[in-house]
Amino acid sequence: MASPCACVPPARGRESCSRGNALLADGAEAPKAPSTAPFFEAFQPEHEGRCGAFYKPQGLDTYRSYVRRELMPAFSGKRIDTITRQDVVRWFEQYSARAPGGANRALGILGQMLGRAKAWGYMPEDWRNPVAGIKANRRRVVGAFLSEAQMARFGTVLDARIAGGCTASALLQFLTLTGCRVSEAIDLEWRDVLPDRLRLRDSKTGARDVALGIVTRRFLKDHKTALDRRARGPRNPVFPLVGGQRYEVVRSVWLLVRREAELPDTLRIHDLRHSFASHAIMSGETLFCTSRLLGHSRIQMTGRYAHLADTALLAAAERIGTILRKGQRA
C-alpha cells in the first residue's frame, strides 16, 4: 500500500515530526508567519485619506511633497512592518547630508505614519516604531534679531509713521510686541482681542491664545481709538491695510521702515519674531514660557534660542553670588 506522502517514507515522516516536537519542547521559536501588512506605497494613500483632513492646505502640500520626493523612493517595495531601524537610520543620514531640516521634517512624517499603522492594527503586538529614539538634526538659528539700539531706532521710525496714520507700521509694531506671525496679524479681527489676550481662530499651529501685557493692551487701545468708528466692528480687521489685507502691502512698508531705521538689508519681517523670542530668552524667560508665547507646537522648535540663555544664566549666577557673599559678611 502506498504511503500517504509519497515523497517522505513513513519512518522518516515520524522522525521529522518527533524532531519538530523536540525543538518546540526545547523552547525553540516556531517560524514566523509571513507578513501580511501592506506595502508602504499601498499604505500611504490610506494614511493620507484618513489623516489628511487634519492638515491645513499648506501642511497637506508639504506632507505630499516629502512623501513623493523622499519617503516613496526610500521605502516603496517594503511592507510597513518590515521597515527596520537600520533602514530608517541609513535613509535619514543620507538625507541629512543634503538637507538637515528637511530630513527632520520627513522623519517626523514617517514616524507619524508608522505610528498610525500600529494604531490601526497593521503591526504585531511587539512591534516598536523604528523612528523612535533617532535624534533629529540640530536646528540652526536662521535669521537675526535686533539689538536694543536697533529696536530703539526701529521704534522711533514706527512711532512717527503711526502718528501719520500708517496702519502697516502699526502692524509691524504689533509684531515686535507679541512675536506673532505676519499672517496672524493680517487676519486678526477685533472680536479676537479679549481683555487680556488674543484668541487666534487660526494660525500655523491651529487656534491658540496669545497673552497680552499692559504695554500691548495700551497699544491696541490707542490704535483702536485712532481708527474710524466704522472700522472698529467685531469682524473688522484690527489692522485694515490700504489696498486690502495682503502681505505685499506690509512688506512694502517694511522695506521703507528698514531703510529709515538704518537696519541691515538682510533683515526680514520674520526676524521681528526672532527678536521677540531672543530678547525674551535673554531677559530670563524659560524656553517653555517662550515656546507658549510664540505658539510653537513643540518646545524643541524654541530650543534653537537656548544658547541665548547663557547671558541670563550668568547674570543670575552673579546675583546669587552677590547675595550669598553679603550673607557671609554679615
Side-chain angles (χ1 to χ4, degrees), residues 282-284 309-322:
M282 289 188 294
S283 68
D310 293 344
T311 302
L313 290 174
L314 178 59
E318 290 177 349
R319 288 195 302 271
I320 294 170
T322 300

Side-chain angles (χ1 to χ4, degrees), residues 66-286:
Y66 280 112
V67 166
R68 183 184 69 255
R69 293 186 296 105
E70 303 297 340
L71 296 179
M72 280 295 189
F75 300 107
S76 287
K78 289 182 176 291
R79 294 189 184 275
I80 54 176
D81 64 341
T82 65
I83 296 174
T84 66
R85 185 179 179 84
Q86 186 177 7
D87 294 331
V88 177
V89 168
R90 185 185 304 113
W91 160 78
F92 182 65
E93 289 180 346
Q94 292 174 351
Y95 188 12
S96 296
R98 294 185 283 115
N104 286 349
R105 188 69 177 272
L107 182 70
I109 293 173
L110 177 63
Q112 198 269 346
M113 291 177 68
L114 297 179
R116 288 291 86 201
K118 169 70 173 179
W120 297 339
Y122 286 122
M123 304 303 199
E125 288 298 322
D126 60 349
W127 177 86
R128 184 173 182 271
N129 197 323
V131 172
I134 296 179
K135 190 174 182 180
N137 298 304
R138 183 181 295 275
R139 291 178 64 92
R140 180 173 59 91
V141 177
V142 179
F145 65 92
L146 281 71
S147 66
E148 290 187 15
Q150 290 173 326
M151 287 290 286
R153 295 201 305 270
F154 184 62
T156 299
V157 173
L158 288 179
D159 287 344
R161 285 181 161 270
I162 292 171
C166 179
T167 304
S169 293
L171 186 150
L172 293 172
Q173 184 72 280
F174 171 80
L175 299 182
T176 67
L177 293 172
T178 62
C180 284
R181 300 176 178 89
V182 179
S183 59
E184 294 169 346
I186 290 176
D187 295 338
L188 191 67
E189 297 178 355
W190 283 113
R191 59 175 169 157
D192 305 321
V193 181
L194 305 182
D196 62 343
R197 69 193 60 220
L198 303 176
R199 179 145 293 167
L200 302 184
R201 288 167 286 106
D202 193 19
S203 71
K204 185 177 179 181
T205 55
R208 69 182 182 97
D209 286 0
V210 178
L212 297 176
I214 294 175
V215 173
T216 309
R217 295 201 298 268
R218 185 181 300 125
F219 164 78
L220 287 171
K221 181 179 179 181
D222 293 343
H223 170 67
K224 188 173 186 178
T225 301
L227 292 175
D228 185 278
R229 186 177 297 274
R230 291 171 297 180
R232 304 176 194 172
R235 294 183 178 273
N236 286 96
V238 172
F239 303 102
L241 302 171
V242 176
Q245 300 299 106
R246 299 196 306 271
Y247 173 80
E248 291 75 14
V249 176
V250 180
R251 187 173 185 278
S252 62
V253 174
W254 159 256
L255 295 176
L256 294 173
V257 171
R258 188 179 68 183
R259 184 171 65 248
E260 291 178 30
E262 299 179 353
L263 301 177
D265 292 342
T266 55
L267 206 66
R268 308 163 303 159
I269 298 178
H270 195 69
D271 290 324
L272 297 178
R273 183 169 163 84
H274 287 308
S275 298
F276 178 88
S278 300
H279 284 285
I281 294 293
M282 289 188 294
S283 68
E285 294 297 340
T286 64

